[in-house]
Amino acid sequence: MKGTHHYAMTTRWTGNTGNGTASYQGYERSHVLQVAGKPEIPGSSDPSFRGDKTRYNPEEMLVASLSSCHMLWYLHLCAAAGIVVVDY
């Protein structure tokens, strides 16, 4: 692939409960990941760090990113080698 690739996204904090970050316990870790034209991804910190367990945390997103890259590279290598993968 030739050329330059640009990826734009926004992280918007949604956890201000009224006093901003006046205290460590006084704000939520909730945030939203946004890419134009795509559904928002609800994020938070890990529950161990006062996060919301119903939202994705950065550690999960990192593992998901690595897992997706690994899978897509593996599928590419198989396709290039003539190996047919029907499930992963």
Side-chain angles (χ1 to χ4, degrees), residues 16-85:
N16 185 355
T17 59
N19 294 315
T21 58
S23 73
Y24 182 75
Q25 293 82 11
Y27 65 94
E28 294 178 2
R29 278 56 178 172
S30 301
H31 56 277
V32 176
L33 306 174
Q34 298 171 299
V35 175
K38 296 181 181 182
E40 294 181 344
I41 299 173
S44 187
S45 62
D46 184 272
S48 299
F49 305 104
R50 304 187 56 81
D52 180 346
K53 67 180 181 180
T54 66
R55 291 173 167 252
Y56 296 100
N57 66 55
E59 294 82 3
E60 291 168 329
M61 298 299 286
L62 175 62
V63 171
S65 176
L66 294 171
S67 178
S68 293
C69 284
H70 181 271
M71 178 192 69
L72 293 170
W73 181 243
Y74 174 77
L75 294 175
H76 163 76
L77 292 175
C78 289
I83 299 168
V84 177
V85 177

